[in-house]
Amino acid sequence: MTDNRRCLLLLSGPNLNLLGTREPEIYGHATLDDHVQAASGAAEAHGWVLEHLQSNHEGDLVDAVHAARGRCEAIVINPGALTHYGWSLHDALAAFEGVVVELHISNPNAREPWRHVSVVAPVATGSIVGFGGAGYPLAVEAAIGAAGTA
Ligand code: CA2
């Protein structure tokens, strides 16, 4: 059966599959699956469908952005450390015509200097940072709000 719901793509970058196993003082105790479920619930409450991909490989994320073109209206992306140097991800997101929300669990601006630069921010509609896991449903709300009515 065809799914006619509007589509939001959630992308998770390198090492985010390890959430809940290390550094809980920075990233909390929740797993990536917990965050995906919360984000999915927020999307479904608006009648949208959420697709999720986690990859430790930049090219996989670039491919997913390409595949979303003309199909998904919004992307929420936590690029992990690719945030700070992933120029091919930057270029792919720049070619995406929909809403892009950059999401971080921690606040990179309050951490080491190398985390202060984001190559994703210039091609994002906006960013949600520093609210822990609560950022996932917040980012979905922001993306759907920015996408507006069809
Ligand atoms: O705060 C965020 O969401 C980050 O995107 C997380 C990235 C970091 O490089 C960014 O600067 C900010 C790191 C994700 C790795 O997460 C781990 C979780 C548990 C154990 C090891 C890594």
Side-chain angles (χ1 to χ4, degrees):
M1 203 176 94
T2 316
D3 191 337
N4 289 320
R5 289 177 294 175
R6 300 170 77 186
C7 162
L8 182 151
L9 177 64
L10 173 63
L11 290 176
S12 303
N15 297 309
L16 286 162
N17 53 309
L18 298 178
L19 284 173
T21 66
R22 280 185 53 217
E23 302 190 85
E25 65 287 356
I26 301 174
Y27 301 117
H29 290 280
T31 64
L32 182 57
D33 195 47
D34 294 332
H35 296 314
V36 173
Q37 278 189 38
S40 202
E44 286 179 8
H46 288 276
W48 287 52
V49 63
L50 180 143
E51 297 177 6
H52 175 246
L53 174 79
Q54 187 278 329
S55 179
N56 296 321
H57 306 282
E58 185 169 358
D60 289 347
L61 298 167
V62 168
D63 286 345
V65 173
H66 292 176
R69 296 177 69 219
R71 205 174 59 77
C72 294
E73 293 180 58
I75 294 176
V76 171
I77 181 164
N78 184 343
L82 291 171
T83 304
H84 315 299
Y85 63 90
W87 287 107
S88 67
L89 197 52
H90 163 107
D91 287 347
L93 290 167
F96 179 72
E97 63 284 348
V99 174
V100 175
V101 176
E102 178 186 4
L103 168 66
H104 297 288
I105 296 168
S106 67
N107 178 0
N109 298 306
R111 300 178 65 191
E112 304 96 316
W114 63 269
R115 294 187 201 271
H116 298 182
V117 172
S118 169
V119 301
V120 169
V123 291
T125 310
S127 305
I128 306 267
V129 306
F131 292 102
Y136 280 82
L138 283 173
V140 168
E141 293 287 343
I144 289 176
T149 49

